[in-house]
Amino acid sequence: VHVVDALPIDESDPVANYELIENELNLYSEEIWNRPRIIALNKVDLIQPAEIKELEAKFQKFGHPVFAISGITGVGLEGLQHAMVDALERAPTSDELTLTPATQVVPDHAFEVTREEERFRVKGKSVERMVAMTDLSSRDALRHLHRRLERMGVIEKLREMGVEEGESVEIGEIEFAFSDQS
């Protein structure tokens, strides 16, 4: 079961958050990623019914059962529980899964910023993967990406190197016009 906050505290896009987890899961283990999933949209007690329906519709595109729930009020939990039991009963019993711990406990967030003639270039495995996995057509996903780049120190490093509003910044295969606003 993927539990997704319908109204994340950091105001990020729940769909972008889900897609990020899905991509990370696929990178970690294709075997696990191919298993059936159930999506639980949590905290629906904090949003309007029309917003719940709209959010459910957005998650339907992933092809997994979607349940709007509230851990506080209990709304939707019974239906989710039944779906989980049904999924477990349908799961093959002979299929064993062995999870091995990652060899590196701390993810590699190292990055390097260089200034070239007409642009700044940011290199780093995590930063490039984060950009590649972002839906660049979604304004919410871009805001979320900007906040993550800020937390990693990328934005501050660009400022230290003298980046100006609107200058080109290249991360991986993607080129952005720098903006100091998330």
Side-chain angles (χ1 to χ4, degrees):
V1 175
H2 278 293
V3 179
V4 180
D5 280 350
L7 188 63
I9 196 164
D10 66 356
E11 298 179 6
S12 58
D13 176 30
V15 175
N17 293 344
Y18 176 80
E19 289 174 330
L20 181 67
I21 296 297
E22 282 286 291
N23 286 324
E24 288 291 327
L25 185 60
N26 191 18
L27 290 172
Y28 177 74
S29 169
E30 190 173 332
E31 178 186 351
I32 296 172
W33 187 80
N34 284 322
R35 290 176 177 258
R37 285 183 286 298
I38 299 171
I39 301 171
L41 299 174
N42 192 26
K43 298 184 182 176
V44 296
D45 54 301
L46 300 176
I47 60 178
Q48 297 298 316
E51 292 174 284
I52 295 168
K53 293 293 180 202
E54 182 180 319
L55 197 54
E56 285 176 317
K58 288 180 181 179
F59 278 91
Q60 294 295 329
K61 73 179 181 180
F62 296 108
H64 305 297
V66 179
F67 291 86
I69 65 165
S70 169
I72 296 290
T73 66
V75 168
L77 291 179
E78 187 174 339
L80 176 60
Q81 289 171 337
H82 289 296
M84 289 169 40
V85 168
D86 291 345
L88 288 172
E89 288 175 350
R90 287 190 312 271
T93 56
S94 63
D95 188 18
E96 287 189 29
L97 176 65
T98 305
L99 295 178
T100 55
T103 56
Q104 183 179 349
V105 176
V106 178
D108 181 13
H109 291 304
F111 64 90
E112 175 184 286
V113 178
T114 56
R115 184 176 196 138
E116 298 178 354
E117 288 181 28
E118 297 179 15
R119 71 181 53 84
F120 290 83
R121 184 179 307 273
V122 180
K123 290 184 180 182
K125 185 177 179 179
S126 292
V127 174
E128 291 177 36
R129 184 174 57 210
M130 204 177 0
V131 170
M133 293 187 326
T134 300
D135 176 6
L136 301 175
S137 65
S138 166
R139 195 149 172 77
D140 289 335
L142 287 172
R143 273 194 227 99
H144 182 68
L145 174 64
H146 192 277
R147 284 191 296 272
R148 291 189 69 197
L149 292 173
E150 281 182 323
R151 285 193 299 267
M152 291 177 71
V154 174
I155 302 298
E156 184 60 33
K157 183 66 175 177
L158 285 164
R159 287 183 195 124
E160 287 173 12
M161 294 186 70
V163 69
E164 300 279 333
E165 188 78 20
E167 282 190 280
S168 292
V169 175
E170 189 174 294
I171 303 175
E173 307 266 329
I174 310 296
E175 190 167 330
F176 299 93
F178 179 79
S179 176
D180 215 358
Q181 301 173 359
S182 56

